[in-house]
Amino acid sequence: MFYETNKMSTAKFAVKITKFQNDFLIWSASDSRVVREEFRIVGTLTGCLPRAPHQNTHLGLPLQLCKEEVRLLIDKGFAELVETVYEDANDTTRNEFKQREQESYERQIDLFKEDRKVELKRCLPKIIEGKKAKRNKLLDERKKKGEDIPDSEYEAEIELRVEDIAIPDIEKRHMMVQTPLECATKKTTYKPVDWDFPHTDSEKLRYAVFRDLWERGHFITSGLKFGGDFLSYPGDPSRFHSFFIVVCRPYREPLCAGDIVTMGRLGTSVKKTVVLCSLDDAGRICYTSLQWTGIS
């Protein structure tokens, strides 16, 4: 798969961002890798892992993007925003799906019986001992009723082979199924989406700052956990700590001393520099950094 980093038609890129209500998702593992490695877009993994669904420490697909990440990818020509449309499949497609499902079920029966035979072979001595104990118990009950039971019946060997043990088929409702990322019985198509973002002055400021930092080579993620709009990293967040807490403020908005002290103390406590970002009257981005000196 070939990706270029200069602006071009989105038709040349395979990255599809699916809009679902107010969320923006990438379902493809290869696309998730590409947007991170090639385009420095991190996003947030939000899905559970198929083999570990009852935990939230390690997450998987889909990859959720913020609005600024989506707009940047679209503006740069790296991706397109689409909605998923499901069309009714024809009978041939549905029959092929049912046939593959039946073949998988039959194969799982064979594998289940093979595993069961191995387990029975390992446990065969215990099974024989259990049958002997059960037989002797029945003989004891008959003996108590006055029947004449020779000792030879107690001492008789029980011959049992794995092949003689009936192994039932697994029920179809218990078969393992593959979880598809798309509807397997319907035809999937994508419809381009018209999206109005950024719209408000606040959104325009955030996107302008996000895009400028990205064009300077930074990796950018959400800064909510540190009280800012974004966190800026010098490299991939999996390998580097963030350097800057990015706070977007309108150019003419008053900023009291208490807010400055609060942001300065916050940045110092987490060993990061707070950067105030604004758009001046000419539309240029102004950066002001805050660093706590420790002087009272």
Side-chain angles (χ1 to χ4, degrees):
M1 189 179 299
F2 178 73
Y3 295 86
E4 296 181 11
T5 55
N6 59 319
K7 185 176 179 60
M8 58 175 61
S9 170
T10 57
K12 294 185 179 181
F13 292 94
V15 176
K16 284 184 170 55
I17 305 172
T18 303
K19 185 177 184 295
F20 180 74
Q21 296 182 354
N22 293 322
D23 295 327
F24 304 89
L25 308 172
I26 293 179
W27 291 91
S28 168
S30 59
D31 286 353
S32 299
R33 179 185 60 79
V34 165
V35 296
R36 184 172 187 129
E37 294 179 358
E38 301 293 335
F39 307 142
R40 287 182 281 108
I41 297 298
V42 180
T44 304
L45 292 170
T46 59
C48 66
L49 299 177
R51 291 186 176 273
H54 301 297
Q55 54 83 40
N56 58 3
T57 303
H58 303 287
L59 299 176
L61 293 175
L63 180 72
Q64 183 173 355
L65 304 181
C66 69
K67 294 179 179 180
E68 290 78 16
E69 290 173 324
V70 175
R71 174 50 65 191
L72 178 70
L73 288 171
I74 294 174
D75 288 351
K76 292 293 184 179
F78 300 150
E80 59 179 339
L81 184 62
V82 298
E83 285 183 346
T84 305
V85 179
Y86 296 110
E87 301 177 359
D88 289 336
N90 53 37
D91 292 338
T92 302
T93 302
R94 280 191 288 267
N95 291 336
E96 288 177 353
F97 173 77
K98 292 180 179 178
Q99 182 179 353
R100 289 196 300 270
E101 186 180 48
Q102 181 63 28
E103 291 173 354
S104 175
Y105 171 58
E106 293 173 356
R107 179 57 179 157
Q108 288 185 46
I109 291 176
D110 296 336
L111 294 174
F112 169 75
K113 289 187 175 182
E114 289 176 6
D115 292 342
R116 184 61 176 158
K117 287 180 180 179
V118 173
E119 183 180 359
L120 288 173
K121 186 176 181 179
R122 178 173 57 84
C123 299
L124 194 59
K126 293 183 179 180
I127 296 174
I128 293 175
E129 289 297 325
K131 288 185 174 293
K132 283 183 178 180
K134 184 176 180 181
R135 179 199 61 187
N136 294 342
K137 183 179 179 180
L138 293 175
L139 293 176
D140 288 339
E141 291 177 355
R142 290 170 54 190
K143 196 170 186 179
K144 289 179 181 179
K145 293 179 181 180
E147 294 187 30
D148 185 19
I149 307 296
D151 293 339
S152 58
E153 289 196 31
Y154 285 94
E155 299 173 357
E157 293 293 333
I158 295 180
E159 294 184 3
L160 182 65
R161 300 182 305 169
V162 173
E163 292 76 10
D164 299 331
I165 302 176
I167 303 175
D169 296 344
I170 57 173
E171 297 183 25
K172 197 166 187 177
R173 61 192 179 93
H174 292 152
M175 69 176 287
M176 298 180 65
V177 297
Q178 180 181 1
T179 303
L181 295 178
E182 296 181 356
C183 182
T185 58
K186 291 188 177 183
K187 182 180 178 181
T188 304
T189 58
Y190 298 98
K191 178 179 69 174
V193 176
D194 293 329
W195 184 42
D196 183 19
F197 179 88
H199 181 68
T200 65
D201 291 340
S202 176
E203 291 175 344
K204 291 177 181 178
L205 171 59
R206 282 174 54 92
Y207 177 60
V209 171
F210 182 94
R211 177 165 178 164
D212 186 66
L213 290 173
W214 183 89
E215 290 177 343
R216 292 171 184 262
H218 295 255
F219 282 75
I220 309 160
T221 66
S222 172
L224 289 177
K225 63 181 178 181
F226 290 107
D229 291 285
F230 305 112
L231 291 178
S232 180
Y233 296 78
D236 193 298
S238 64
R239 300 175 58 194
F240 294 87
H241 289 290
S242 59
F243 282 1
F244 307 115
I245 301 174
V246 179
V247 180
C248 300
R249 301 292 291 263
Y251 187 65
R252 298 294 181 181
E253 181 180 81
L255 189 63
C256 68
D259 291 339
I260 296 176
V261 171
T262 299
M263 288 185 288
R265 284 182 176 273
L266 173 63
T268 301
S269 65
V270 295
K271 299 181 180 179
K272 304 181 192 303
T273 299
V274 176
V275 179
L276 298 178
C277 308
S278 303
L279 285 175
D280 64 13
D281 297 334
R284 294 170 299 189
I285 300 177
C286 301
Y287 295 105
T288 303
S289 62
L290 301 178
Q291 289 182 301
W292 193 257
T293 62
I295 300 176
S296 59

